[in-house]
Amino acid sequence: MQKTEEKTSMEKYGDYPERIKWFMHDRIGMFIHWGVYAIPARGEWVRSVERISNEAYQPYLEEFDAARYDPRAWARAAKLAGQKYAVLTTKHHDGFCLFDSALTDYKATNTPAGRDLVREFVDAFRSEGLGVGFYYSIIDWHHDDYPAYGDRIHPERDNEEFRDKSIDFNRYLTYMHGQVRELLTNYGPIDIMWFDYSYDDMTGEKWKATELVRMIRSIQPDIIIDNRLGGNIKAAEPEEYAGDFHSPEQIIPPGGIVDANGKSVPWEACVTLNDNWGYHAEDRAYKSPKQVVRTLVECVSKNGNLLLNVGPDAKGEIPKPSLDVLAGVGEWLRLNGDSIYGCSASSLPKPEWGRYTQNGNKLYAHVFDRGVGPIYFQGLKGKIKKARLLRDGSELIVSVPWMADRYSDIESGAFITLKGAELPDDWDT
Ligand code: FHN
């Protein structure tokens, strides 16, 4: 419907850095967790959870062949899902690199896969017109100079054997910064640098984060960076490594995310399609397209993005249950995408029947919980110029039903009569 007054609370991204505006428009991306851990097929933390030594993990590298890896198929699946960008794990905590790094032998080009898998990912997603992001783990369980003894998550070093082992953490930081430089130098323009993750006192300058971010911005000035180097993006004067967007994980912030001045800040919730980021052969707990769409609508209604994860199997294929959910989400977006892309929160209070998203003077009503009778729009009396059902473009009648004057604040509200039972009772916009 067309509202006659104020714009969305994000004022069409007027006072946000230019580099983040495409992100705030596109709203939904694909997260891709893929690596050697897909062979044990018990999730990407398998080395830590099962305390697998480097030596016991090595056979997996020796059989990693990416035999059915087809990033064009991944990109087409993302497009079919309505996803506008993708973020691939170039290196996860196990330290294995999908890219041909000159700084290590622990990489895909030294496995039967025998090629730079990141290069093919970038080329494929660019050819499908999608944004390209790199996830890079600052945690590294393989590197000899990564914190040793006492590191509770490290697969091997949380034991006496490593108590007196000396490490040169600065040498690790040189390696880590060097790999980030490789990623942002060798693959053309990259849209997102997605670091993961700071913890305990391992945060900020412990990673030499200011130096790292300055290097990144010198190579790729238009890139956007998440906040997991440890910065407090909510701070009124955030550190340089605060990042460009917040990255809540498996949670939609109830009130969105604002900075210390109460201004909405860009954010992106990352969510798994099942219960694992990396491939897990036993994982059957897939979310439904309806759950994903409601999550996406909630994110956008709170000025956020949704990064929806897939975990390809050891051969490089996205599991069919994931593809099925993505296709369902894409079909909804094919019909209702105008209520997501380019939209953000409305200044109106959340209605009891669902959520609003808004784009300029267009207000989108996502009706999740409808009973009988018309839908009531608090505070919109005389402000709705016309209403259309996005799904089929049909007119919806804006009218004051009989008895409304007795049972509603008819002086400020407006009513839209939906078209009876033919509307699905689950969702529509
Ligand atoms: O430990 C990782 C985890 O494996 C996964 O990559 C998620 C995705 O955001 N990040 C870390 C957990 O917060």
Side-chain angles (χ1 to χ4, degrees), residues 20 22-24 26-31 85-87 133 192-195 224-228 233 244-253 257 265-271 277 299 302-308:
I20 194 84
W22 71 267
F23 182 76
M24 297 166 73
D26 285 358
R27 291 303 183 202
I28 179 170
M30 177 184 271
F31 212 174
Y85 61 94
V87 177
I192 304 173
M193 193 69 216
W194 213 104
F195 288 109
I224 58 175
I225 306 170
D226 73 335
N227 67 320
R228 294 194 178 193
I233 200 170
D244 298 294
F245 62 93
H246 242 265
S247 57
E249 180 170 320
Q250 306 282 37
I251 181 174
I252 311 309
I257 301 179
V265 296
W267 58 272
E268 172 196 72
C270 53
V271 170
W277 298 102
C299 288
K302 297 172 178 176
N303 293 326
N305 285 29
L306 176 64
L307 189 64
L308 194 54

Side-chain angles (χ1 to χ4, degrees), residues 31 33 37 43-45 89 92-93 135 137 139 141 153 194-198 226 228 247-250 270-272 276-278 307 309:
F31 212 174
H33 276 70
Y37 46 75
E44 74 289 353
W45 269 69
T89 52
H92 204 266
H93 308 336
Y135 167 111
S137 172
I139 292 169
W141 298 327
I153 66 170
W194 213 104
F195 288 109
D196 197 24
Y197 65 93
S198 294
D226 73 335
R228 294 194 178 193
S247 57
E249 180 170 320
Q250 306 282 37
C270 53
V271 170
T272 53
N276 286 275
W277 298 102
L307 189 64
N309 183 73

Side-chain angles (χ1 to χ4, degrees), residues 330-360:
E331 177 58 10
W332 183 86
L333 278 167
R334 184 178 69 84
L335 301 173
N336 299 282
D338 286 354
S339 68
I340 297 295
Y341 305 123
C343 292
S344 49
S346 167
S347 54
L348 292 168
K350 179 189 176 306
E352 63 178 0
W353 38 258
R355 295 187 181 281
Y356 288 127
T357 57
Q358 189 170 339
N359 185 346

Side-chain angles (χ1 to χ4, degrees), residues 90-91 95-110 116 118-119 136 143 174-187:
T90 61
K91 182 195 85 165
F96 177 72
C97 302
L98 296 188
F99 62 104
D100 188 14
S101 169
L103 303 180
T104 181
D105 293 334
Y106 209 59
K107 58 187 178 178
T109 40
N110 286 350
D116 187 324
V118 168
R119 161 79 58 207
Y136 181 84
H143 197 282
T174 301
Y175 169 82
M176 187 258 272
H177 287 218
Q179 286 203 317
V180 172
R181 179 180 292 276
E182 287 184 306
L183 285 168
L184 299 185
T185 304
N186 298 340
Y187 299 94

Side-chain angles (χ1 to χ4, degrees), residues 215-412:
M215 180 263 285
I216 291 168
R217 299 215 187 278
S218 69
I219 300 171
Q220 303 248 5
D222 295 330
I223 202 167
I224 58 175
I225 306 170
D226 73 335
N227 67 320
R228 294 194 178 193
L229 285 172
N232 175 8
I233 200 170
K234 295 176 72 168
E237 295 301 326
E239 309 86 343
E240 278 187 58
Y241 54 77
D244 298 294
F245 62 93
H246 242 265
S247 57
E249 180 170 320
Q250 306 282 37
I251 181 174
I252 311 309
I257 301 179
V258 296
D259 66 14
N261 298 321
K263 174 174 176 272
S264 181
V265 296
W267 58 272
E268 172 196 72
C270 53
V271 170
T272 53
L273 267 180
N274 47 28
D275 284 340
N276 286 275
W277 298 102
Y279 183 70
H280 193 299
E282 307 300 316
D283 195 336
R284 302 284 184 272
Y286 280 85
K287 297 163 181 73
S288 68
K290 173 174 167 180
Q291 285 173 304
V292 172
V293 166
R294 287 197 177 200
T295 303
L296 174 61
V297 169
E298 182 176 0
C299 288
V300 178
S301 75
K302 297 172 178 176
N303 293 326
N305 285 29
L306 176 64
L307 189 64
L308 194 54
N309 183 73
V310 294
D313 64 25
K315 294 302 182 184
E317 291 195 296
I318 297 173
K320 184 157 185 329
S322 295
L323 293 174
D324 292 344
V325 176
L326 291 177
V329 174
E331 177 58 10
W332 183 86
L333 278 167
R334 184 178 69 84
L335 301 173
N336 299 282
D338 286 354
S339 68
I340 297 295
Y341 305 123
C343 292
S344 49
S346 167
S347 54
L348 292 168
K350 179 189 176 306
E352 63 178 0
W353 38 258
R355 295 187 181 281
Y356 288 127
T357 57
Q358 189 170 339
N359 185 346
N361 68 355
K362 284 195 171 74
L363 181 70
Y364 297 95
H366 299 267
V367 182
F368 292 145
D369 305 308
R370 60 182 288 253
V372 299
I375 302 294
Y376 180 61
F377 292 81
Q378 178 83 28
L380 291 187
K381 181 178 175 69
K383 296 183 178 177
I384 301 174
K385 289 165 65 178
K386 63 178 181 177
R388 295 289 182 270
L389 190 63
L390 266 189
R391 181 165 54 96
D392 62 7
S394 57
E395 181 180 24
L396 294 175
I397 306 305
V398 183
S399 66
V400 178
W402 181 55
M403 280 204 176
D405 55 332
R406 304 181 199 176
Y407 300 109
S408 69
D409 171 15
I410 190 170
E411 284 320 306
S412 80

